[in-house]
Amino acid sequence: MSEEGVNPRRRRLLAITSGLGVVGTAFALTPFVLSMMPSARAKASGAPVEVDISKLEPGQLLTVEWRGKPVWILRRTPEMLKSLTAVEKLLADPESAVTDQQPEYAKNGARSIKPEILVLVGICTHLGCSPDKRLDAGVASGLGDDWKGGFFCPCHGSKFDLAGRVFKNVPAPTNLVVPPHAYLSDTRIIIGADQQGAA
């Protein structure tokens, strides 16, 4: 095919115009495509949260946020772990029989993957208040000499032990929720995801 009748300037102009058209279309489509993607706020509200627990000392509690809820991470002392069996007769669900309150891997006496590390959603199962942390045993807690440590909801008087298990004869119907979680390493936990994936 002969190139004699082709104007090189016109060909260049046509190539530039086509290129600008493609770039313009991309700019025009960008806001539309971005509007279909979840916002940073929406992603943060449901996304799993990674937590560094390397500085968490025995007896210390760390609070993080996941899905707009407080999540407590408590490093229990040996004394705290011993108290779990001492209060079992006082609990409404010591065996964690209500299955939707914890993943299967946390359905044990400590309600945790590793006995010393407890992960709980810090929301009372009665009316959604956030219980006080009354981790110290005895009189200092304000709950009497026989208090072994745990969580107390001052709104209506619900009490939970150091595994988040609810006491008998209080308004809260079930144990505190253990969220899905997994260990990424000895010092890092991911909340909101486990071996089955994101919750």
Side-chain angles (χ1 to χ4, degrees), residues 87-106:
V87 297
E88 283 183 350
K89 293 180 289 218
L90 307 172
L91 303 174
D93 185 13
E95 302 297 321
S96 302
V98 180
T99 56
D100 63 350
Q101 297 306 109
Q102 65 279 314
E104 192 60 35
Y105 49 82

Side-chain angles (χ1 to χ4, degrees), residues 98-120:
V98 180
T99 56
D100 63 350
Q101 297 306 109
Q102 65 279 314
E104 192 60 35
Y105 49 82
K107 194 178 178 219
N108 52 55
R111 297 184 79 220
S112 59
I113 298 170
K114 295 183 178 183
E116 70 276 11
I117 302 293
L118 175 67
V119 181
L120 289 175

Side-chain angles (χ1 to χ4, degrees), residues 12-60:
R12 224 174 311 155
L13 180 63
L14 185 59
I16 290 170
T17 306
S18 297
L20 288 173
V22 169
V23 170
T25 302
F27 275 113
L29 286 177
T30 298
F32 175 71
V33 171
L34 290 177
S35 73
M36 296 170 78
M37 297 174 73
S39 68
R41 184 176 180 176
K43 281 192 261 185
S45 69
V49 177
E50 284 189 35
V51 184
D52 180 0
I53 59 167
S54 61
K55 294 185 171 72
L56 196 61
E57 297 292 327
Q60 193 174 34

Side-chain angles (χ1 to χ4, degrees), residues 133-147:
K133 299 138 196 101
R134 304 283 178 97
L135 306 179
D136 295 327
V139 180
S141 68
L143 295 172
D145 292 342
D146 58 348
W147 179 249

